[in-house]
Amino acid sequence: MLQYIDSCKDSSIFAQKQFRMMKKTIFFALLFICFGQWSMAQKIPFIIKASVYGGYIVPMTKNLDSIAHPPALGGELAIEFPSMGNYDWQHHWRMPTVGVGLLGINLGNPKLLGTAFAVYPYLLVPVVKTKHFHLNYKIGAGLSFFTKTWNDGDTLSGVNASTANSAIGSILNVYLTTGANFEFPISKQFSITSDIGYNHMSNGSMLQPNAGINMLQAMIGAKYLFPGCAHCNKPKPPIDGFPYDFSINLIASGGARELYYKDNKMYPIGSFHASMSANLTNWYALGGGFDVFYDGVFVQQGTRGAESYRNNTLFGRYFIPTEDLANKFRAGVCLSNEFIIGRVTAVLQWGVYVYDPIRNATHDPHPVYGDNRPMFYSYDIEKEDGWNYFRLGVRCRVYDNLFVNASLKTHLQKAEMIEWGIGYQIPYTKKQESDGRRGSYAVYHPDRKWKRGDPNKQWQPVGVESEDPPFNLGR
């Protein structure tokens, strides 16, 4: 009788979760319909695309190797907006297509992995375009939702911890994808499409466990163009060059994360980033800077030999024998790659720690250097963080030079934290003197209207004579 009651409870909980996911799916489907209705009302060309999905979960851990049962099958519905040439960045990126996708994937193990849903904006950048064949580079980022997490497998199904779902520790996660998109036009409005690529879903170590899911994927489908009113928005010619030459970026970020799933503790994290970058093209800037990180997880912890500190955490990756505020700070220098897409900038950074008090705070001494690791050394990422870090981020300008920032910091493939922040960009451009020559540098303000020759307002770049902002960064 008790088993029957427990079974009914499990079924009720499962039904409630399925109902919640169904409501989310209906919500996003209605959102797609609203997008389409709005585009038709505005006479904006748009595309509806439907695809079937097939994927392979890459077994990055022993746990995933035992519970992932390929293939992962699903489908995607997307709405796309082709460039009309109204913004300069569209010309610089060869008239890309902006899309929003709604993806559903059966992960191949209903009991432990369940189903994943993702909603994400993406960009298709043309690489090859002929009459009968288009090749695009696709990149996108958004949110993913899971019907099964670690808690479901371990507490509801009676599964051993070693074989439970240690890939996903939360219902809400990030979704990242990249790859190639192929299009085969059949007519002016109808095309066959295909995608091959890679995606990643995890929560950036906000909640543990968080091994994440990495998938190789392929899609095939069809799309139809609703042409709208093509002559209503005439393309404007792009302005040569970029409105500023170099910029300084200042960002303050914060957040929280777990260290170990058994602790059930959240620790604060934060960072400060300062960098300078130079615009090498109309869409790319290269620069460098420094970072200061604060990570509250580095409390007294760990075991080495007879010494053991387990009051704060049961985690065994680090050995920190003292409770010291200095242990929670790291500092590094970084190389920054910035891809400018109107108001949005995608950032990829690689950094090296120059101050790292836990460099030697590992469970075991280094086999070569012991407890005296140099700045650069060989290491096993499964046992320690190492001497370098990566950051993948997105910045969105909200007003003038003020922007919001979201980024994922990792040590190789191991996610460490998600940073949420606010920043300010100080872009410098050459003023134009009354004789037409370029003079000293001045701060550029993209959301201000100013006129060349007006000494009370900001100067325009050379060669632009307009009452409007000289460079359309996505207004």
Side-chain angles (χ1 to χ4, degrees), residues 62 110 120 137 174 191 205 234 254 256 264-265 276 339 349:
K62 293 181 178 179
Y120 66 103
Y137 170 65
V174 299
S191 300
S205 289
K234 294 183 180 179
N264 196 27
K265 292 181 182 179
M276 178 181 290
F339 303 89
Q349 296 175 343

Side-chain angles (χ1 to χ4, degrees), residues 57 62-70 107-109 112-113 159 162-167:
I57 298 176
K62 293 181 178 179
N63 171 265
L64 268 179
D65 192 31
S66 64
I67 68 174
H69 304 151
L107 297 172
N109 187 334
L112 295 179
L113 293 177
V159 180
S162 61
T163 57
N165 177 7
S166 67

Side-chain angles (χ1 to χ4, degrees), residues 9-226:
K9 287 181 179 179
D10 292 350
S11 299
S12 176
I13 293 172
F14 178 75
Q16 290 174 9
K17 291 195 172 187
Q18 291 294 98
F19 180 67
R20 287 197 294 267
M21 294 306 299
M22 185 182 298
K23 288 197 297 185
K24 291 176 183 178
T25 304
I26 293 173
F27 168 77
F28 288 120
L30 291 174
L31 192 63
F32 270 67
I33 294 172
C34 291
F35 265 124
Q37 291 290 337
W38 174 80
S39 299
M40 293 178 71
Q42 298 294 321
K43 298 182 179 180
I44 298 174
F46 69 97
I47 297 165
I48 295 295
K49 182 171 71 173
S51 305
V52 294
Y53 178 99
Y56 170 74
I57 298 176
V58 181
M60 303 289 286
T61 64
K62 293 181 178 179
N63 171 265
L64 268 179
D65 192 31
S66 64
I67 68 174
H69 304 151
L73 302 175
E76 180 177 277
L77 179 65
I79 184 169
E80 297 179 346
F81 300 93
S83 293
M84 299 298 293
N86 299 320
Y87 301 109
D88 296 284
W89 70 266
Q90 294 176 341
H91 295 273
H92 299 152
W93 286 89
R94 303 183 64 185
M95 305 298 283
T97 295
V98 177
V100 179
L102 174 61
L103 175 65
I105 312 171
N106 182 329
L107 297 172
N109 187 334
K111 184 177 181 181
L112 295 179
L113 293 177
T115 303
F117 295 92
V119 56
Y120 66 103
Y122 60 86
L123 191 70
L124 298 177
V125 181
V127 178
V128 176
K129 189 171 184 178
T130 67
K131 184 178 180 180
H132 301 291
F133 173 72
H134 301 168
L135 171 62
N136 305 300
Y137 170 65
K138 179 179 180 179
I139 185 169
L143 298 175
S144 57
F145 310 86
F146 285 79
T147 60
K148 293 290 185 179
T149 67
W150 161 266
N151 294 318
D152 295 304
D154 193 36
T155 61
L156 297 181
S157 303
V159 180
N160 293 329
S162 61
T163 57
N165 177 7
S166 67
I168 300 298
S170 60
I171 294 175
L172 179 64
N173 297 266
V174 299
Y175 178 82
L176 305 173
T177 185
T178 186
N181 166 262
F182 308 93
E183 181 180 344
F184 304 91
I186 305 301
S187 66
K188 288 185 177 181
Q189 293 177 250
F190 181 76
S191 300
I192 301 297
T193 67
S194 179
D195 293 68
I196 57 172
Y198 168 88
N199 72 48
H200 170 81
M201 292 173 278
S202 74
N203 64 44
S205 289
M206 289 186 65
L207 293 173
Q208 296 290 344
N210 181 60
I213 288 182
N214 300 273
M215 297 181 65
L216 301 176
Q217 62 185 14
M219 287 188 282
I220 186 168
K223 69 180 188 179
Y224 185 83
L225 169 67
F226 295 84

